[in-house]
Amino acid sequence: MKKFLTSALFSIICTTTFAANMPWWQQPTVCQLDTTKCYATMGTGYDAEMWDSDSRCWGLKMICPDALKSGTNTPKPMNKNEIKSGTDIKSDFDTNLLSFDNECFGRRKTDDNGAVAMVNGKYVNVYCRGILNKFDEELPNGEITYNTQPTCTDLASNGYAAVLNGNCYGKYYNDTKYHIECGNELLPERIIVLNGANYGKHTGNAPTTMNDANDMFDKMYKTSQTRKKQYFPE
């Protein structure tokens, strides 16, 4: 019994001593904030001195102007509930990611290693730099336009085709060596190797496809066989 009391007393003394060595704000009798609702760490893109009244924590995310519907010129501090509601945030942006310049949160959504980017809820090609005659935004991999997208003819006029070129679109074809023939789609119907020839529209009944050429040669061969039998009978 004496041994048990001694052990219990030692335990109480140790616990009391440990608590006495703690800062007052960490004492068990002091109410503590529920930190599970707070940001674990804060650095770039946060304002650590602003109070989030909804989560009862310090720290607000700074949301980039481009990601906001309200169209501000500077990053906007927003609490967790505001961000979660998405009322003032464009769906084309991901507020979980820092911007490409690492200044605030709100990066334009991309896919395929950055070769396509989301514009107005749809993914569009990111064209390699210098291909578009006019662009609206520059991204790490290239440039995008917001509204009407370039056509095959638009690109071909500068010698380009909408072919994936690394992590952006636009492959150059020297017009002295190739001719880009466009149809109704973004990708060319075919790319013709000129082999020194000057490309131009065909005239007369010249074949325009390999099938047409094969049909023409079949007819020529049959005609030749008929003439041979007629004039050179065996």
Side-chain angles (χ1 to χ4, degrees), residues 49-137:
E49 297 182 358
M50 298 192 73
W51 178 254
D52 185 339
S53 59
D54 292 337
S55 298
R56 295 180 179 275
C57 286
W58 290 103
L60 297 180
K61 265 188 177 181
M62 303 300 292
I63 306 301
C64 300
D66 289 343
L68 298 171
K69 296 177 182 177
S70 54
T72 60
N73 295 322
T74 57
K76 177 182 177 181
M78 299 180 70
N79 65 38
K80 286 187 174 183
N81 285 347
E82 288 177 308
I83 296 171
K84 186 177 181 180
S85 71
T87 303
D88 191 32
I89 296 174
K90 297 176 183 176
S91 60
D92 294 341
F93 289 80
D94 188 343
T95 54
N96 292 314
L97 299 175
L98 281 168
S99 59
F100 291 114
D101 56 12
N102 290 324
E103 290 186 353
C104 47
F105 282 91
R107 182 185 300 183
R108 186 176 290 278
K109 296 175 182 176
T110 61
D111 204 352
D112 295 343
N113 295 319
V116 295
M118 184 168 285
V119 175
N120 299 324
K122 296 181 179 179
Y123 281 107
V124 300
N125 289 345
V126 175
Y127 288 96
C128 304
R129 288 178 178 80
I131 292 178
L132 297 178
N133 292 327
K134 182 180 179 182
F135 66 91
D136 294 305
E137 184 178 336

Coordinates of all heavy atoms in Angstrom, one line a residue, residues 49-137:
E49 N -1.6 38.0 -41.4 CA -2.0 39.0 -40.4 C -3.5 39.3 -40.4 O -4.0 40.1 -39.7 CB -1.2 40.2 -40.5 CG 0.3 40.0 -40.3 CD 1.1 41.3 -40.4 OE1 0.5 42.4 -40.6 OE2 2.3 41.3 -40.1
M50 N -4.2 38.6 -41.4 CA -5.6 38.9 -41.5 C -6.4 37.8 -40.9 O -6.0 36.6 -41.0 CB -6.0 39.1 -43.0 CG -5.3 40.3 -43.6 SD -6.1 40.7 -45.2 CE -7.6 41.4 -44.7
W51 N -7.5 38.1 -40.2 CA -8.3 37.2 -39.5 C -9.5 36.6 -40.3 O -10.2 37.3 -41.0 CB -8.9 37.9 -38.2 CG -9.8 37.0 -37.4 CD1 -11.1 37.1 -37.3 CD2 -9.4 36.0 -36.5 NE1 -11.6 36.2 -36.4 CE2 -10.6 35.5 -35.8 CE3 -8.2 35.4 -36.1 CZ2 -10.5 34.5 -34.9 CZ3 -8.1 34.4 -35.2 CH2 -9.3 34.0 -34.6
D52 N -9.6 35.3 -40.3 CA -10.7 34.6 -41.0 C -11.7 34.3 -39.9 O -11.6 33.4 -39.2 CB -10.2 33.2 -41.6 CG -11.2 32.5 -42.4 OD1 -12.4 32.8 -42.2 OD2 -10.9 31.7 -43.3
S53 N -12.8 35.2 -39.9 CA -13.8 35.1 -38.9 C -14.6 33.8 -39.0 O -15.1 33.3 -38.0 CB -14.7 36.3 -38.9 OG -15.3 36.4 -40.2
D54 N -14.8 33.3 -40.2 CA -15.5 32.1 -40.3 C -14.8 30.8 -39.7 O -15.4 30.0 -39.0 CB -15.8 31.8 -41.8 CG -16.8 32.8 -42.4 OD1 -17.5 33.5 -41.6 OD2 -16.8 33.0 -43.6
S55 N -13.5 30.7 -40.0 CA -12.8 29.6 -39.5 C -12.1 29.9 -38.1 O -11.6 29.0 -37.5 CB -11.6 29.2 -40.5 OG -12.2 28.9 -41.7
R56 N -12.2 31.2 -37.7 CA -11.7 31.6 -36.4 C -10.2 31.3 -36.4 O -9.6 30.7 -35.4 CB -12.4 30.9 -35.2 CG -13.8 31.3 -35.1 CD -14.5 30.6 -33.9 NE -15.9 31.0 -33.8 CZ -16.3 32.1 -33.1 NH1 -15.4 32.9 -32.6 NH2 -17.6 32.4 -33.1
C57 N -9.5 31.7 -37.4 CA -8.1 31.5 -37.6 C -7.4 32.7 -38.2 O -8.1 33.5 -39.0 CB -7.8 30.3 -38.4 SG -8.1 28.7 -37.6
W58 N -6.1 32.9 -38.0 CA -5.4 33.9 -38.8 C -5.0 33.3 -40.1 O -4.7 32.2 -40.3 CB -4.1 34.3 -38.0 CG -4.4 35.1 -36.7 CD1 -4.4 34.6 -35.4 CD2 -4.8 36.5 -36.7 NE1 -4.7 35.6 -34.6 CE2 -5.0 36.8 -35.3 CE3 -5.0 37.5 -37.6 CZ2 -5.4 38.0 -34.8 CZ3 -5.4 38.7 -37.2 CH2 -5.6 39.0 -35.8
G59 N -5.0 34.2 -41.1 CA -4.5 33.8 -42.4 C -5.6 33.8 -43.5 O -6.6 33.1 -43.3
L60 N -5.4 34.6 -44.5 CA -6.3 34.6 -45.7 C -5.5 34.3 -47.0 O -4.4 34.8 -47.1 CB -7.1 35.9 -45.8 CG -8.0 36.3 -44.7 CD1 -8.7 37.7 -45.0 CD2 -9.1 35.2 -44.5
K61 N -6.1 33.6 -47.9 CA -5.5 33.4 -49.2 C -5.6 34.7 -50.0 O -6.7 35.3 -50.1 CB -6.1 32.2 -49.9 CG -5.4 30.9 -49.8 CD -6.0 29.9 -50.7 CE -5.3 28.6 -50.6 NZ -5.9 27.6 -51.5
M62 N -4.6 35.0 -50.8 CA -4.6 36.1 -51.7 C -4.9 35.6 -53.1 O -4.2 34.8 -53.6 CB -3.3 36.9 -51.7 CG -2.9 37.4 -50.4 SD -4.1 38.6 -49.6 CE -3.9 40.0 -50.8
I63 N -6.1 35.9 -53.6 CA -6.6 35.4 -54.9 C -6.2 36.3 -56.0 O -6.5 37.5 -55.9 CB -8.1 35.1 -54.9 CG1 -8.4 34.2 -53.7 CG2 -8.5 34.4 -56.2 CD1 -7.7 32.8 -53.7
C64 N -5.6 35.8 -57.1 CA -5.1 36.7 -58.2 C -6.3 37.4 -58.9 O -7.4 36.8 -59.0 CB -4.4 35.8 -59.2 SG -3.0 34.9 -58.5
P65 N -6.0 38.6 -59.4 CA -7.1 39.3 -60.1 C -7.6 38.6 -61.3 O -8.9 38.7 -61.6 CB -6.3 40.6 -60.6 CG -5.2 40.7 -59.6 CD -4.8 39.3 -59.3
D66 N -6.8 37.9 -62.1 CA -7.3 37.2 -63.3 C -8.3 36.1 -63.0 O -9.1 35.7 -63.8 CB -6.1 36.6 -64.1 CG -5.3 37.7 -64.7 OD1 -5.8 38.8 -64.9 OD2 -4.1 37.4 -65.1
A67 N -8.2 35.6 -61.7 CA -9.1 34.5 -61.3 C -10.4 35.0 -60.8 O -11.3 34.2 -60.5 CB -8.4 33.6 -60.3
L68 N -10.6 36.3 -60.7 CA -11.8 36.8 -60.1 C -12.7 37.4 -61.1 O -12.3 38.0 -62.1 CB -11.4 38.0 -59.1 CG -10.5 37.6 -57.9 CD1 -10.0 38.8 -57.2 CD2 -11.3 36.7 -57.0
K69 N -14.0 37.2 -60.9 CA -15.1 37.7 -61.7 C -15.2 39.2 -61.6 O -15.6 39.9 -62.5 CB -16.4 37.0 -61.5 CG -16.4 35.5 -61.8 CD -17.8 34.9 -61.4 CE -17.8 33.4 -61.6 NZ -19.1 32.8 -61.2
S70 N -14.9 39.7 -60.4 CA -15.1 41.1 -60.1 C -14.1 42.0 -60.8 O -14.3 43.2 -60.8 CB -15.0 41.3 -58.5 OG -13.8 40.8 -58.0
G71 N -13.0 41.4 -61.3 CA -12.1 42.2 -62.1 C -11.3 43.2 -61.4 O -11.1 44.3 -61.9
T72 N -10.8 42.9 -60.2 CA -9.9 43.8 -59.5 C -8.6 43.9 -60.1 O -8.2 43.0 -60.9 CB -9.8 43.4 -58.0 OG1 -9.2 42.1 -58.0 CG2 -11.2 43.4 -57.4
N73 N -7.8 44.9 -59.8 CA -6.4 45.0 -60.3 C -5.4 44.5 -59.4 O -4.2 44.4 -59.8 CB -6.1 46.5 -60.6 CG -7.0 47.1 -61.7 OD1 -7.3 46.4 -62.7 ND2 -7.5 48.3 -61.5
T74 N -5.8 44.2 -58.2 CA -4.8 43.6 -57.2 C -5.4 42.3 -56.6 O -6.6 42.1 -56.6 CB -4.5 44.7 -56.1 OG1 -5.8 45.0 -55.5 CG2 -3.9 45.9 -56.6
P75 N -4.5 41.5 -56.0 CA -5.0 40.3 -55.4 C -6.0 40.6 -54.3 O -5.8 41.6 -53.6 CB -3.7 39.6 -54.8 CG -2.6 40.1 -55.7 CD -3.0 41.5 -56.1
K76 N -6.9 39.7 -54.1 CA -8.0 39.9 -53.1 C -7.9 38.9 -52.0 O -7.9 37.7 -52.3 CB -9.4 39.8 -53.8 CG -10.6 39.9 -52.9 CD -11.9 39.7 -53.6 CE -13.1 39.8 -52.7 NZ -14.3 39.6 -53.4
P77 N -7.8 39.4 -50.7 CA -7.8 38.4 -49.6 C -9.2 37.8 -49.4 O -10.2 38.5 -49.3 CB -7.4 39.3 -48.4 CG -7.8 40.7 -48.8 CD -7.7 40.8 -50.3
M78 N -9.2 36.5 -49.4 CA -10.5 35.8 -49.3 C -10.4 34.7 -48.2 O -9.4 34.0 -48.1 CB -10.9 35.2 -50.6 CG -11.1 36.2 -51.7 SD -11.6 35.5 -53.3 CE -13.3 34.9 -52.9
N79 N -11.5 34.5 -47.4 CA -11.5 33.4 -46.5 C -11.9 32.1 -47.1 O -12.3 32.1 -48.3 CB -12.4 33.8 -45.3 CG -13.8 33.9 -45.6 OD1 -14.4 33.1 -46.4 ND2 -14.5 34.8 -45.0
K80 N -11.8 31.0 -46.3 CA -12.1 29.7 -46.9 C -13.5 29.5 -47.5 O -13.7 28.9 -48.5 CB -11.8 28.6 -45.8 CG -10.3 28.4 -45.5 CD -10.1 27.2 -44.6 CE -8.7 26.9 -44.4 NZ -8.5 25.7 -43.6
N81 N -14.5 30.1 -46.7 CA -15.9 29.9 -47.2 C -16.1 30.7 -48.5 O -16.8 30.2 -49.4 CB -16.8 30.4 -46.1 CG -16.9 29.5 -45.0 OD1 -16.5 28.3 -45.0 ND2 -17.5 29.9 -43.8
E82 N -15.5 31.9 -48.6 CA -15.7 32.6 -49.9 C -15.1 31.9 -51.1 O -15.6 31.8 -52.1 CB -15.0 34.0 -49.8 CG -15.7 35.0 -48.9 CD -14.9 36.3 -48.7 OE1 -13.7 36.2 -48.4 OE2 -15.5 37.3 -49.0
I83 N -13.9 31.3 -50.8 CA -13.2 30.5 -51.9 C -14.0 29.3 -52.2 O -14.2 28.9 -53.4 CB -11.8 30.1 -51.5 CG1 -11.0 31.4 -51.3 CG2 -11.2 29.2 -52.5 CD1 -9.6 31.2 -50.6
K84 N -14.5 28.6 -51.2 CA -15.3 27.3 -51.4 C -16.6 27.6 -52.2 O -17.0 26.8 -53.1 CB -15.6 26.7 -50.1 CG -16.3 25.3 -50.2 CD -16.5 24.7 -48.8 CE -17.1 23.3 -49.0 NZ -17.4 22.7 -47.6
S85 N -17.2 28.7 -51.9 CA -18.5 29.0 -52.6 C -18.2 29.3 -54.1 O -19.1 29.1 -54.9 CB -19.2 30.3 -52.0 OG -18.4 31.5 -52.3
G86 N -17.1 29.8 -54.4 CA -16.7 30.1 -55.8 C -17.5 31.2 -56.5 O -17.5 31.4 -57.7
T87 N -18.2 32.0 -55.7 CA -19.1 33.1 -56.2 C -18.3 34.1 -57.1 O -18.8 34.5 -58.1 CB -19.8 33.8 -55.1 OG1 -20.5 32.8 -54.3 CG2 -20.8 34.8 -55.6
D88 N -17.2 34.4 -56.6 CA -16.4 35.5 -57.3 C -15.2 34.9 -58.1 O -14.3 35.6 -58.5 CB -15.9 36.5 -56.4 CG -15.3 37.8 -57.1 OD1 -15.8 38.1 -58.2 OD2 -14.4 38.4 -56.5
I89 N -15.1 33.6 -58.2 CA -14.0 32.9 -58.8 C -14.3 32.3 -60.2 O -15.3 31.6 -60.3 CB -13.4 31.8 -57.9 CG1 -12.9 32.5 -56.6 CG2 -12.3 31.1 -58.6 CD1 -12.4 31.6 -55.6
K90 N -13.5 32.6 -61.2 CA -13.8 32.0 -62.5 C -13.5 30.5 -62.5 O -12.5 30.1 -61.9 CB -12.9 32.7 -63.6 CG -13.2 34.2 -63.7 CD -12.2 34.8 -64.7 CE -12.4 36.3 -64.8 NZ -11.4 36.9 -65.7
S91 N -14.3 29.7 -63.2 CA -14.1 28.3 -63.2 C -12.9 27.8 -64.0 O -12.5 26.7 -63.9 CB -15.4 27.6 -63.8 OG -15.6 28.0 -65.1
D92 N -12.3 28.7 -64.8 CA -11.1 28.4 -65.5 C -9.9 28.3 -64.7 O -8.8 28.0 -65.2 CB -10.9 29.4 -66.7 CG -12.0 29.4 -67.7 OD1 -12.7 28.4 -67.8 OD2 -12.2 30.4 -68.5
F93 N -10.0 28.8 -63.4 CA -8.8 28.9 -62.6 C -8.9 27.9 -61.4 O -9.9 27.7 -60.9 CB -8.6 30.3 -62.1 CG -8.2 31.3 -63.2 CD1 -9.2 31.8 -64.1 CD2 -6.9 31.7 -63.3 CE1 -8.8 32.7 -65.1 CE2 -6.5 32.5 -64.3 CZ -7.5 33.0 -65.2
D94 N -7.7 27.5 -60.9 CA -7.6 26.6 -59.8 C -6.9 27.4 -58.6 O -5.8 27.8 -58.7 CB -6.7 25.4 -60.1 CG -6.6 24.4 -59.0 OD1 -7.0 24.7 -57.9 OD2 -6.2 23.2 -59.3
T95 N -7.7 27.7 -57.6 CA -7.3 28.5 -56.5 C -6.5 27.7 -55.5 O -6.1 28.2 -54.4 CB -8.4 29.2 -55.8 OG1 -9.4 28.2 -55.4 CG2 -9.1 30.2 -56.7
N96 N -6.2 26.4 -55.7 CA -5.3 25.6 -54.9 C -3.9 25.7 -55.3 O -3.0 25.3 -54.6 CB -5.8 24.1 -54.9 CG -7.1 23.9 -54.3 OD1 -7.3 24.4 -53.2 ND2 -8.0 23.1 -54.9
L97 N -3.7 26.4 -56.5 CA -2.3 26.5 -57.0 C -1.9 27.9 -57.1 O -2.7 28.8 -57.4 CB -2.3 25.9 -58.4 CG -2.6 24.4 -58.6 CD1 -2.6 24.0 -60.0 CD2 -1.6 23.5 -57.8
L98 N -0.6 28.2 -56.8 CA -0.1 29.5 -56.9 C 0.0 29.9 -58.4 O 0.1 29.0 -59.3 CB 1.3 29.6 -56.3 CG 1.4 29.7 -54.8 CD1 2.9 29.5 -54.4 CD2 1.0 31.1 -54.3
S99 N -0.1 31.1 -58.7 CA 0.0 31.6 -60.1 C 1.3 31.3 -60.6 O 2.3 30.9 -59.9 CB -0.3 33.1 -60.1 OG 0.7 33.8 -59.3
F100 N 1.5 31.3 -62.0 CA 2.7 31.0 -62.6 C 3.9 31.9 -62.1 O 5.0 31.5 -62.1 CB 2.6 31.0 -64.1 CG 1.7 30.0 -64.6 CD1 0.5 30.3 -65.3 CD2 2.1 28.6 -64.5 CE1 -0.3 29.3 -65.8 CE2 1.3 27.6 -65.0 CZ 0.1 27.9 -65.6
D101 N 3.6 33.1 -61.7 CA 4.6 34.0 -61.2 C 4.7 33.9 -59.6 O 5.5 34.7 -59.0 CB 4.3 35.5 -61.5 CG 2.9 36.0 -61.1 OD1 2.3 35.2 -60.3 OD2 2.5 37.0 -61.5
N102 N 4.0 33.0 -59.0 CA 4.1 32.7 -57.6 C 3.8 33.9 -56.7 O 4.4 34.1 -55.6 CB 5.5 32.1 -57.3 CG 5.7 30.7 -57.8 OD1 4.8 29.9 -57.8 ND2 7.0 30.5 -58.2
E103 N 2.9 34.7 -57.1 CA 2.5 35.9 -56.3 C 1.2 35.7 -55.5 O 1.0 36.4 -54.5 CB 2.5 37.1 -57.2 CG 3.8 37.6 -57.7 CD 3.7 38.9 -58.5 OE1 2.6 39.4 -58.7 OE2 4.8 39.4 -58.9
C104 N 0.3 34.9 -56.1 CA -1.0 34.8 -55.4 C -1.6 33.5 -55.9 O -1.0 32.8 -56.7 CB -1.9 35.9 -55.8 SG -1.9 36.3 -57.6
F105 N -2.8 33.1 -55.4 CA -3.4 31.8 -55.7 C -4.4 32.1 -56.9 O -5.1 33.1 -56.9 CB -4.1 31.2 -54.5 CG -3.2 30.6 -53.6 CD1 -2.6 31.2 -52.5 CD2 -2.8 29.2 -53.8 CE1 -1.8 30.6 -51.6 CE2 -2.0 28.6 -52.9 CZ -1.4 29.3 -51.8
G106 N -4.4 31.1 -57.8 CA -5.3 31.2 -58.9 C -4.6 31.0 -60.2 O -4.2 32.0 -60.9
R107 N -4.4 29.8 -60.6 CA -3.6 29.5 -61.8 C -4.6 28.9 -62.9 O -5.5 28.1 -62.6 CB -2.6 28.4 -61.6 CG -1.7 28.1 -62.8 CD -0.8 26.9 -62.5 NE 0.2 27.3 -61.4 CZ 1.1 26.4 -61.0 NH1 1.3 25.3 -61.6 NH2 2.0 26.8 -60.1
R108 N -4.5 29.4 -64.1 CA -5.4 28.9 -65.2 C -5.2 27.4 -65.3 O -4.0 26.9 -65.4 CB -5.0 29.6 -66.5 CG -6.0 29.2 -67.6 CD -5.7 30.0 -68.9 NE -6.1 31.4 -68.8 CZ -7.3 31.9 -68.9 NH1 -8.4 31.1 -69.1 NH2 -7.6 33.2 -68.7
K109 N -6.3 26.7 -65.4 CA -6.2 25.2 -65.5 C -5.6 24.8 -66.9 O -5.9 25.3 -67.9 CB -7.6 24.6 -65.4 CG -8.2 24.9 -64.0 CD -9.7 24.3 -64.0 CE -10.3 24.6 -62.6 NZ -11.7 24.2 -62.6
T110 N -4.7 23.8 -66.8 CA -4.0 23.3 -68.0 C -4.1 21.8 -67.9 O -4.4 21.2 -66.9 CB -2.6 23.8 -68.1 OG1 -1.8 23.3 -67.0 CG2 -2.5 25.3 -68.2
D111 N -3.8 21.2 -69.1 CA -3.7 19.7 -69.2 C -2.7 19.3 -70.2 O -2.1 20.2 -70.9 CB -5.1 19.2 -69.6 CG -5.3 17.7 -69.1 OD1 -4.3 17.1 -68.7 OD2 -6.4 17.2 -69.2
D112 N -2.4 18.0 -70.4 CA -1.4 17.6 -71.3 C -0.1 18.3 -71.2 O 0.5 18.8 -72.2 CB -1.9 17.7 -72.8 CG -3.1 16.8 -73.1 OD1 -3.4 15.9 -72.3 OD2 -3.8 17.1 -74.1
N113 N 0.4 18.3 -69.9 CA 1.7 19.0 -69.6 C 1.7 20.4 -70.1 O 2.8 20.9 -70.5 CB 2.8 18.2 -70.3 CG 3.0 16.8 -69.8 OD1 2.9 16.6 -68.5 ND2 3.2 15.8 -70.6
G114 N 0.6 21.1 -70.0 CA 0.5 22.5 -70.3 C 0.3 22.8 -71.8 O 0.4 24.0 -72.2
A115 N 0.0 21.8 -72.6 CA -0.2 22.0 -74.0 C -1.6 22.5 -74.3 O -1.8 23.1 -75.4 CB 0.0 20.7 -74.8
V116 N -2.5 22.4 -73.4 CA -3.9 23.0 -73.6 C -4.2 23.7 -72.3 O -3.7 23.4 -71.2 CB -4.9 21.9 -73.9 CG1 -4.7 21.2 -75.2 CG2 -5.0 20.8 -72.8
A117 N -5.0 24.7 -72.4 CA -5.4 25.6 -71.3 C -6.9 25.8 -71.3 O -7.5 25.8 -72.4 CB -4.7 26.9 -71.3
M118 N -7.6 26.0 -70.2 CA -9.0 26.1 -70.1 C -9.4 27.6 -70.3 O -8.9 28.5 -69.7 CB -9.6 25.6 -68.8 CG -11.1 25.7 -68.7 SD -11.8 24.8 -67.3 CE -11.6 23.1 -67.9
V119 N -10.3 27.8 -71.3 CA -10.8 29.2 -71.6 C -12.3 29.1 -71.8 O -12.8 28.3 -72.6 CB -10.2 29.7 -72.9 CG1 -10.8 31.1 -73.3 CG2 -8.7 29.9 -72.7
N120 N -13.0 29.8 -70.9 CA -14.5 29.8 -71.0 C -15.1 28.3 -70.8 O -16.0 28.0 -71.5 CB -15.0 30.4 -72.3 CG -14.6 31.9 -72.4 OD1 -14.6 32.6 -71.4 ND2 -14.3 32.3 -73.6
G121 N -14.4 27.6 -70.0 CA -14.9 26.2 -69.7 C -14.5 25.1 -70.6 O -14.9 24.0 -70.5
K122 N -13.7 25.5 -71.7 CA -13.2 24.5 -72.6 C -11.7 24.6 -72.8 O -11.2 25.7 -72.7 CB -13.9 24.7 -74.0 CG -15.4 24.5 -73.9 CD -16.0 24.7 -75.3 CE -17.6 24.5 -75.3 NZ -18.2 24.7 -76.6
Y123 N -11.1 23.5 -73.1 CA -9.7 23.5 -73.3 C -9.3 23.9 -74.7 O -10.0 23.5 -75.7 CB -9.1 22.1 -73.0 CG -8.9 21.8 -71.6 CD1 -9.7 20.9 -70.9 CD2 -7.9 22.5 -70.8 CE1 -9.5 20.6 -69.6 CE2 -7.7 22.2 -69.5 CZ -8.5 21.3 -68.9 OH -8.4 21.0 -67.5
V124 N -8.4 24.8 -74.9 CA -7.9 25.3 -76.2 C -6.4 25.0 -76.3 O -5.7 24.9 -75.3 CB -8.2 26.8 -76.4 CG1 -9.7 27.1 -76.3 CG2 -7.4 27.6 -75.4
N125 N -5.9 25.0 -77.5 CA -4.5 24.7 -77.7 C -3.7 25.9 -77.2 O -4.0 27.1 -77.4 CB -4.2 24.5 -79.2 CG -4.7 23.2 -79.7 OD1 -5.1 22.3 -78.9 ND2 -4.8 23.0 -81.0
V126 N -2.5 25.6 -76.6 CA -1.5 26.6 -76.3 C -0.5 26.6 -77.5 O 0.1 25.5 -77.7 CB -0.8 26.3 -75.0 CG1 0.3 27.3 -74.7 CG2 -1.8 26.3 -73.8
Y127 N -0.4 27.6 -78.2 CA 0.4 27.7 -79.4 C 1.8 28.2 -79.0 O 2.0 29.1 -78.2 CB -0.2 28.6 -80.5 CG -1.4 27.9 -81.1 CD1 -2.7 28.2 -80.7 CD2 -1.2 27.0 -82.1 CE1 -3.8 27.6 -81.2 CE2 -2.3 26.3 -82.7 CZ -3.6 26.6 -82.2 OH -4.7 26.0 -82.8
C128 N 2.8 27.6 -79.6 CA 4.2 28.0 -79.3 C 4.4 29.5 -79.7 O 3.7 30.0 -80.5 CB 5.2 27.1 -80.2 SG 5.0 25.4 -79.9
R129 N 5.3 30.1 -79.0 CA 5.4 31.6 -79.1 C 5.8 32.0 -80.5 O 6.6 31.3 -81.2 CB 6.5 32.0 -78.1 CG 6.1 32.0 -76.7 CD 7.2 32.4 -75.7 NE 6.7 32.4 -74.4 CZ 6.6 31.4 -73.6 NH1 7.0 30.2 -74.1 NH2 6.2 31.5 -72.4
G130 N 5.1 33.1 -81.0 CA 5.4 33.6 -82.3 C 4.6 33.1 -83.4 O 4.6 33.6 -84.5
I131 N 3.7 32.1 -83.1 CA 2.8 31.5 -84.1 C 1.6 32.3 -84.3 O 1.2 32.6 -85.5 CB 2.5 30.0 -83.8 CG1 3.8 29.2 -83.8 CG2 1.4 29.5 -84.7 CD1 3.6 27.8 -83.4
L132 N 0.9 32.7 -83.3 CA -0.3 33.5 -83.4 C -0.1 34.9 -83.8 O 0.9 35.5 -83.3 CB -1.1 33.4 -82.1 CG -1.6 32.1 -81.5 CD1 -2.2 32.2 -80.2 CD2 -2.5 31.4 -82.5
N133 N -0.9 35.4 -84.7 CA -0.8 36.8 -85.1 C -1.2 37.7 -84.0 O -0.6 38.8 -83.9 CB -1.6 37.1 -86.4 CG -1.1 36.4 -87.6 OD1 0.1 36.2 -87.8 ND2 -2.0 36.0 -88.5
K134 N -2.1 37.3 -83.2 CA -2.6 38.0 -82.0 C -2.9 37.1 -80.9 O -3.6 36.1 -81.2 CB -3.8 38.9 -82.4 CG -4.3 39.8 -81.3 CD -5.5 40.6 -81.8 CE -6.0 41.5 -80.7 NZ -7.2 42.2 -81.1
F135 N -2.5 37.4 -79.7 CA -2.8 36.5 -78.6 C -3.3 37.3 -77.4 O -3.0 38.5 -77.3 CB -1.6 35.6 -78.2 CG -0.5 36.4 -77.6 CD1 -0.3 36.6 -76.3 CD2 0.5 36.9 -78.4 CE1 0.7 37.4 -75.7 CE2 1.6 37.6 -77.9 CZ 1.7 37.8 -76.6
D136 N -4.0 36.7 -76.5 CA -4.6 37.4 -75.3 C -3.9 37.1 -74.0 O -3.9 37.9 -73.1 CB -6.1 36.9 -75.1 CG -7.0 37.4 -76.3 OD1 -7.0 38.6 -76.6 OD2 -7.6 36.5 -76.9
E137 N -3.2 36.0 -73.9 CA -2.5 35.7 -72.7 C -1.3 34.8 -73.0 O -1.3 33.9 -73.8 CB -3.4 35.0 -71.7 CG -2.8 34.7 -70.4 CD -3.8 34.0 -69.4 OE1 -5.1 34.1 -69.7 OE2 -3.4 33.3 -68.5

